[in-house]
Amino acid sequence: MTLTRLVLFSGWGIDARIWQPLIACLQARLAHVTETGDQADAGADDQAKSRPLEIIAPDWPEEGPQAVSQAGSQEPTASQASLGGADTLWLGWSLGALRAEALAKKQAPAVLVSLAMGPSFIDQAAAEQMIPALAPEVLDTFRAAFARNPTASWQHFLRWQASGEASTRDCLRQLRELIGRHPVSREAVLATGLAELASRQMTLAPQSELPLEFWLGKQDPLLAPGLSAALRAQGQVVAEFEGGHCLPLSATEALADALLARMGLATHVTHISEEA
């Protein structure tokens, strides 16, 4: 089945602008699909040919460049019912994956991909699924530092998640170019997100109910050792990429190719590449 819509959910303290390189890469790979379609079937539907893939990157409530104007909004862009559907793949990055999994129970996308996130960020002692996660003290220490100095802690978080990339400096520079040097969300919104990281736990529903895949970076400093092996041992679908936590930036091309393959669009791109 070919999926024609991709919804991208961002993570803690980083809004939808993080997806700009990936969106540009996907658009570049699909730019020739329309031309091939024209040659193969001149009578095909014009809209289908010109838009083989719809990409949506919504911000979570009170996050992103428009955070101030959205304060108190009752209709967050990331919760619109129109985001689900049988033709849609959701890609949630980091905290965005945990939030998307909860949202998917109501909106039912065809597939949910958890990028750079396991079933939980922090070890949930009471959880039935014994899958590796970070120790609670790791986030407790960060939350205490955030309470003292939110901006400095947010900047530290950028450095922390970039530390697993081949070039930490280049990744950090790219991050800052995309989202700036200061958080756009209010401190209370960021604090709420940290509380979610501490408590959210995926349910790992049967694949027949919600097809869920885990796409993880091999050098991710924010994932517990042994996570990939533990997920595979429980029958979960796992794909590993060269990179750390910032896969949208460090593994942009590999991620774009994997998405197109999973959505059933890779055959078009491969056909173009072979003819080039």
Side-chain angles (χ1 to χ4, degrees), residues 10-17 60 63-64 93 95 99 154 157-158 161 175 179-180 182-185 189-190 193-194 197:
S10 56
W12 183 81
I14 297 179
D15 58 74
R17 290 174 292 178
W60 295 104
E63 298 185 13
W93 175 53
L95 174 59
R99 289 174 168 175
W154 178 82
F157 181 76
L158 297 189
Q161 64 178 356
L175 265 175
I179 65 173
H182 301 279
V184 296
S185 300
V189 174
L190 294 174
L194 291 177
L197 282 173

Side-chain angles (χ1 to χ4, degrees), residues 203-261:
T203 58
L204 297 183
Q207 290 289 318
S208 59
E209 297 179 15
L210 175 63
L212 172 63
E213 302 181 9
F214 295 90
W215 294 7
L216 310 175
K218 295 180 181 179
Q219 294 82 36
D220 192 335
L222 274 67
L223 297 181
L227 174 60
S228 294
L231 286 169
R232 289 192 176 104
Q234 291 207 6
Q236 300 298 320
V237 178
V238 179
E240 294 185 284
F241 295 79
E242 291 296 337
H245 196 71
C246 293
L247 293 177
L249 303 183
S250 64
T252 307
E253 294 187 355
L255 192 56
D257 290 339
L259 284 168
L260 292 174

Side-chain angles (χ1 to χ4, degrees), residues 23-237:
I23 292 173
C25 186
L26 286 167
Q27 291 173 338
R29 275 163 162 65
L30 291 171
H32 302 294
V33 174
T34 302
E35 179 181 348
T36 301
D38 290 340
Q39 297 170 352
D41 183 6
D45 179 77
D46 290 339
Q47 185 177 4
K49 290 189 296 181
S50 62
R51 283 181 52 184
L53 176 62
E54 178 186 7
I55 304 174
I56 305 171
D59 277 316
W60 295 104
E62 299 187 53
E63 298 185 13
Q66 307 302 319
V68 175
S69 63
Q70 292 174 355
S73 173
Q74 299 301 310
E75 298 182 358
T77 57
S79 296
Q80 294 173 352
S82 60
L83 294 181
D87 61 345
T88 304
L89 183 148
W90 283 7
L91 178 71
W93 175 53
S94 196
L95 174 59
L98 296 174
R99 289 174 168 175
E101 187 267 347
L103 193 61
K105 297 170 185 176
K106 299 178 180 179
Q107 299 195 20
V111 181
L112 170 61
V113 174
S114 178
L115 182 66
M117 178 59 71
S120 65
F121 182 64
I122 296 299
D123 183 38
Q124 308 290 324
E128 295 181 1
Q129 298 96 354
M130 298 304 294
I131 296 178
L134 295 182
E137 308 85 70
V138 175
L139 187 57
D140 289 343
T141 300
F142 182 81
R143 292 175 75 180
F146 179 84
R148 292 191 300 270
N149 192 329
T151 298
S153 298
W154 178 82
Q155 292 170 342
H156 169 74
F157 181 76
L158 297 189
R159 295 191 294 271
W160 183 17
Q161 64 178 356
S163 65
E165 308 304 343
S167 176
T168 300
R169 178 177 296 181
D170 288 346
C171 180
L172 191 57
R173 173 188 53 77
Q174 194 173 6
L175 265 175
R176 288 169 172 165
E177 288 176 351
L178 286 170
I179 65 173
R181 292 178 174 270
H182 301 279
V184 296
S185 300
R186 294 182 297 112
E187 294 176 12
V189 174
L190 294 174
T192 298
L194 291 177
E196 292 180 73
L197 282 173
S199 61
R200 280 194 180 272
Q201 169 86 26
M202 295 184 186
T203 58
L204 297 183
Q207 290 289 318
S208 59
E209 297 179 15
L210 175 63
L212 172 63
E213 302 181 9
F214 295 90
W215 294 7
L216 310 175
K218 295 180 181 179
Q219 294 82 36
D220 192 335
L222 274 67
L223 297 181
L227 174 60
S228 294
L231 286 169
R232 289 192 176 104
Q234 291 207 6
Q236 300 298 320
V237 178

